Amino acid sequence: MADENTVQLAINTIRTLSMDAVQQAKSGHPGTPMALAPLIYTMWNRVLQYDPQDPIWPNRDRFVLSNGHASMLLWSILHLTKVHAVDADYERLGEPAVTLDDIRRFRQLGSRAPGHPEYRWVSGVETTTGPLGQGVATAVGMAIAQKWLAKRYNRPGFDLFNYNVYAVCGDGCMMEGISSEAASLAGHLGLDNLCWVFDNNHITIEGNTNITFTEDVAARFLAYGWNVLRVGDANDVDRIERALQVFRQTKGRPTFIVLDSHIGYGSPHKQDTSEAHGEPLGEEEVRLTKRSYGWPEDARFFVPDGVYAHFAKGIGARGDAARHQWLALFSAYRNQFPELANEIELMQRRELPKGWDRNLPVFPADPKGLAGREASGKVLNVLAQNIPWVIGGSADLGPSNKTTLTFEGAGHLQASNPGGRNLHFGIREHAMGAIVNGLALSKLRGFGASFFIFIDYARPAVRLSALMELPTLFIFSHDAMGDGEDGPTHQPVEHLASLRAIPGLITLRPGDANEVVEAYRYIMQLRHKPAVLALSRQPLPTLDRSKYAPASGVARGAYVLADAPGGTPEVILIASGSEVILAVQAHEQLLSEGIWSRVVSMPSWELFEHQSREYQDSVLPPEIEARVAVEQASTFGWERYAGSKGRVIGMHTFGASAPLKQLQKKFGFEPEQVVAVAKELLRSRELAPSVEDREGHTAVPVA
């Protein structure tokens, strides 16, 4: 054990690096790093099974800084422990993940010490945190993943996956509702590999938490079924270490440690005040605080002699030994269980097994058709059998989403069966999204599902999934007005447009059962992008692909489904999802009247935008200005495809409570309406004023 002076020197190095970085950046949050430096020191240098030379070693302990505004804690420890960088192809680069120069340029462009932890940008960051509560909820997904991996791959004498997941959180994480959802599920599942450490400093931006937050947090977690511990002094590293040892010895329950701390510890005038939370201390206060630590007052970004060596002897030596022991174990495992070892290696590289798309259904033409959700369920069950690490479920809507895995051996993930493939999230969409991210960060192919309207509850996690470039899958049924009688609260209007606005997210709204198949075929090959599937509740006719173009065009985002004789249309009809059949029916009627039209199925704007200009122009020739776009959703954004002289048949109000057919008639989603608008365009050949055709619905020219 190192002497107390060396320990205190290491702790104060974390504190002063944090203070200096925030002061130089003229923005940031110094108080929490000053308070929690002893905790981070203890976790990293005495407890974590983590090798700084290989931060993606599969059996490493996971550390999540959920109160991400305290990011200087992470940048300091990644620097002092000399965590090495890894690139996007999982190559170890042999260079530091965070340099001292990065810390000097904290929060500046190009620095690998950004304002909040950013996964993929900085090696050693296990997940992006910023929106409070997302980190702890994501940690629940990581803990579920470890339990699943251990159940599937561990064998007698081969304890390959036994890592723990640690998350540090603050008052904000505790107040956000997502943490309650996640903690409830973690307690139900008995995740004894999960430890949250709650920084109980009683301070938020507006002041002391007694103005808003006076509940008994410890009692709340006892009610969730957690083991609750308390450390009354955040500076007592020995008590912190003992509490973490109790966590590792506790079985059948996750652990919640209440750590009483003083924000801005050591600052003569700002300790225990909100001023220490979200702004620099000020040059004079920094000097006074350093004096209280016994630190050189004018030294900036100072790492004393012996600090790097101290961490090297601690986490460096311990992590290196643990990783090499694991690698030797895995080598022997590969000899004895080659198929399972191959699965693990494929998973770690985000690759798919051979034959992953075998036996995918091909749906025959059928005028009655199949609901998008029904087709999805059939495809998902095939893929999950072919890819053993596909795991997920629904927010209590599995029977309605058709996301339940029903094949033999799928099982239901519970505390007594951690290897189940069906994960029941309960009515917890907020936590579901973050947990799916945690599964994906653990290299599983996680999916979550609900009704499309409730994407609003999962949206923060979906956005973070796109930001982190994770291959997650979110399956949302009841994508438009198919759930008619439930009324506008259950009828998504603006949701497609809002998802299309998220950079890096692939949104797919397939138009029939075979488009569903091709959507899945594309999604499963993604390695660095999340996807949302928006599926119909009601049956959609399955198109005759001997008459119409093959559904493989889905992979290009939009394709010519049906064309005019000779391929030279007068008008183009563009649609997604349940409106594709309306466009096809209108097309057939127009052809019967001698009007040459083209139908373009456009399940994904994002994929279409990824295509070459040549391909885009072949689908939507610029010279064909007469265009009608049809979608049971907000018209926002459709002008880019309908053009300035085209029309969009869409929603301009919320929906209503009525059977689907009545709603379709009320809002104008009928083939006759598409035909009428197409004819009007061809007659006018120029921009016409908006005309209200039905109450709450307009077939409008697009400016």
Side-chain angles (χ1 to χ4, degrees):
M1 185 67 68
D3 66 82
E4 290 185 10
N5 289 337
T6 304
V7 171
Q8 197 59 49
L9 197 67
I11 290 170
N12 287 339
T13 302
I14 297 171
R15 285 172 167 151
T16 55
L17 285 177
S18 300
M19 291 159 50
D20 287 342
V22 172
Q23 191 62 41
Q24 180 142 311
K26 296 182 173 57
S27 71
H29 302 75
T32 300
M34 294 162 69
L36 295 187
L39 169 68
I40 298 308
Y41 166 82
T42 307
M43 294 180 79
W44 281 72
N45 213 39
R46 295 189 178 183
V47 176
L48 286 186
Q49 293 298 311
Y50 185 94
D51 185 1
Q53 295 184 61
D54 189 353
I56 61 171
W57 163 44
N59 198 42
R60 69 192 180 279
D61 285 344
R62 269 60 167 182
F63 172 80
V64 174
L65 185 67
S66 189
N67 45 347
H69 54 269
S71 61
M72 270 310 307
L73 275 172
L74 193 52
W75 309 142
S76 296
I77 201 68
L78 293 182
H79 171 69
L80 294 173
T81 58
K82 297 189 176 180
V83 170
H84 287 198
V86 178
D87 67 13
D89 294 320
Y90 312 117
E91 296 173 327
R92 285 68 168 174
L93 302 180
E95 61 185 46
V98 178
T99 66
L100 198 57
D101 188 52
D102 288 318
I103 291 175
R104 289 190 183 97
R105 296 184 297 110
F106 175 54
R107 287 179 163 236
Q108 307 308 303
L109 188 65
S111 171
R112 286 177 292 182
H116 288 80
E118 301 288 354
Y119 175 79
R120 186 185 58 81
W121 292 10
V122 188
S123 299
V125 175
E126 299 287 0
T127 182
T128 294
T129 55
L132 294 175
Q134 285 286 333
V136 286
T138 302
V140 172
M142 295 176 177
I144 291 171
Q146 185 277 323
K147 291 288 188 181
W148 190 89
L149 290 165
K151 180 66 175 178
R152 179 166 181 85
Y153 297 110
N154 287 2
R155 294 292 185 272
F158 293 96
D159 202 14
L160 284 185
F161 294 102
N162 59 7
Y163 59 85
N164 291 312
V165 181
Y166 299 85
V168 175
C169 52
D171 295 292
C173 294
M174 291 299 99
M175 291 189 218
E176 292 286 2
I178 187 173
S179 64
S180 299
E181 292 185 10
S184 175
L185 184 58
H188 166 74
L189 293 174
L191 298 176
D192 52 22
N193 57 346
L194 176 66
C195 178
W196 291 3
V197 181
F198 169 41
D199 175 26
N200 186 37
N201 63 34
H202 302 288
I203 295 295
T204 61
I205 289 176
E206 292 187 356
N208 194 286
T209 54
N210 61 19
I211 64 174
T212 58
F213 190 55
T214 53
E215 68 191 50
D216 188 336
V217 179
R220 173 176 140 199
F221 275 77
L222 285 170
Y224 290 146
W226 289 53
N227 180 37
V228 177
L229 307 173
R230 189 172 207 116
V231 175
D233 180 5
N235 291 306
D236 192 332
V237 295
D238 292 332
R239 287 183 64 189
I240 292 171
E241 185 175 13
R242 283 197 297 272
L244 294 172
Q245 288 172 348
V246 171
F247 152 61
R248 288 181 292 173
Q249 294 165 1
T250 299
K251 302 302 178 186
R253 291 182 294 171
T255 292
F256 185 76
I257 300 174
V258 180
L259 181 68
D260 296 326
S261 74
H262 295 280
I263 194 168
Y265 178 79
S267 171
H269 303 106
K270 295 189 177 182
Q271 178 176 312
D272 295 327
T273 70
S274 58
E275 286 83 357
H277 173 80
E279 59 188 49
L281 296 177
E283 295 288 355
E284 181 60 23
E285 192 70 12
V286 167
R287 280 193 290 271
L288 293 174
T289 305
K290 287 179 178 177
R291 183 186 302 173
S292 75
Y293 296 156
W295 206 257
E297 294 179 26
D298 294 320
R300 293 163 58 85
F301 303 101
F302 176 49
V303 180
D305 291 343
V307 170
Y308 292 120
H310 177 61
F311 282 108
K313 291 177 182 177
I315 188 173
R318 186 178 66 253
D320 180 74
R323 178 172 64 93
H324 280 93
Q325 182 180 6
W326 187 88
L327 290 172
L329 184 69
F330 185 72
S331 179
Y333 181 89
R334 185 190 291 109
N335 291 333
Q336 193 164 340
F337 306 103
E339 292 183 3
L340 292 177
N342 182 58
E343 284 186 14
I344 293 169
E345 290 173 328
L346 288 172
M347 192 189 319
Q348 292 301 314
R349 297 194 301 268
R350 297 200 191 282
E351 296 177 1
L352 299 172
K354 291 181 180 179
W356 65 270
D357 59 349
R358 66 182 181 277
N359 302 325
L360 285 178
V362 176
F363 294 99
D366 182 357
K368 293 183 179 179
L370 199 64
R373 59 176 177 164
E374 294 278 359
S376 169
K378 294 178 184 298
V379 178
L380 186 60
N381 267 274
V382 172
L383 288 170
Q385 290 180 78
N386 295 344
I387 309 170
W389 50 94
V390 168
I391 171 179
S394 178
D396 197 55
L397 291 168
S400 191
N401 294 140
K402 308 302 179 185
T403 49
T404 304
L405 302 178
T406 57
F407 56 87
E408 184 178 356
H412 298 270
L413 194 150
Q414 293 291 320
S416 59
N417 182 31
R421 306 285 292 283
N422 287 293
L423 176 49
H424 300 279
F425 293 101
I427 306 168
R428 303 182 179 102
E429 282 92 353
H430 295 80
M432 177 185 74
I435 289 169
V436 169
N437 286 347
L439 298 175
L441 288 161
S442 309
K443 303 301 178 68
L444 303 183
R445 291 305 295 262
F447 69 88
S450 186
F451 290 171
F452 194 36
I453 192 76
F454 301 131
I455 185 71
D456 284 337
Y457 284 6
R459 182 184 310 277
V462 173
R463 181 180 185 274
L464 286 179
S465 196
L467 183 59
M468 290 189 279
E469 299 185 359
L470 299 178
T472 50
L473 171 59
F474 298 95
I475 304 167
F476 291 94
S477 66
H478 300 59
D479 66 335
M481 289 190 289
D483 198 19
E485 292 86 347
D486 276 340
T489 61
H490 281 55
Q491 294 163 7
V493 173
E494 72 279 20
H495 298 71
L496 280 168
S498 66
L499 290 180
R500 289 164 176 160
I502 297 177
L505 177 66
I506 304 296
T507 303
L508 286 143
R509 188 173 182 243
D512 77 346
N514 287 308
E515 283 201 357
V516 171
V517 175
E518 295 306 318
Y520 270 106
R521 195 189 304 275
Y522 180 85
I523 289 167
M524 295 312 299
Q525 296 178 79
L526 293 172
R527 296 179 66 203
H528 299 293
K529 287 182 183 293
V532 169
L533 263 179
L535 303 166
S536 74
R537 177 198 187 219
Q538 74 276 21
L540 303 179
T542 305
L543 295 169
D544 182 351
R545 295 293 170 165
S546 67
K547 179 178 180 181
Y548 301 106
S552 56
V554 166
R556 307 189 81 169
Y559 65 104
V560 178
L561 178 63
D563 212 355
T568 308
E570 300 171 80
V571 61
I572 301 175
L573 312 178
I574 316 167
S576 79
S578 52
E579 289 69 68
V580 169
I581 189 61
L582 299 184
V584 169
Q585 291 168 344
H587 167 75
E588 299 292 351
Q589 184 175 332
L590 289 167
L591 284 182
S592 71
E593 298 179 26
I595 299 173
W596 288 7
S597 62
R598 166 180 290 183
V599 177
V600 171
S601 176
M602 185 175 278
S604 175
W605 291 13
E606 299 81 19
L607 296 186
F608 187 60
E609 292 298 327
H610 293 164
Q611 307 307 311
S612 67
R613 173 54 58 187
E614 181 182 12
Y615 177 78
Q616 292 179 30
D617 289 347
S618 73
V619 175
L620 299 174
E623 66 272 15
I624 310 298
E625 296 182 328
R627 302 178 184 182
V628 183
V630 193
E631 189 171 66
Q632 281 186 30
S634 167
T635 62
F636 185 82
W638 269 109
E639 62 273 7
R640 74 173 69 180
Y641 303 118
S644 61
K645 296 184 179 180
R647 302 281 186 90
V648 183
I649 301 175
M651 294 295 293
H652 299 272
T653 68
F654 293 110
S657 178
L660 176 60
K661 288 186 178 180
Q662 294 180 24
L663 293 172
Q664 289 171 326
K665 183 175 182 180
K666 173 182 173 62
F667 293 106
F669 294 103
E670 297 179 306
E672 295 79 11
Q673 174 66 14
V674 180
V675 168
V677 173
K679 288 180 176 179
E680 182 183 343
L681 282 174
L682 292 173
R683 283 195 302 270
S684 65
R685 295 287 183 173
E686 61 186 28
L687 192 65
S690 301
V691 178
E692 273 299 322
D693 340 89
R694 286 176 172 79
E695 180 186 351
H697 163 73
T698 318
V700 296
V702 180

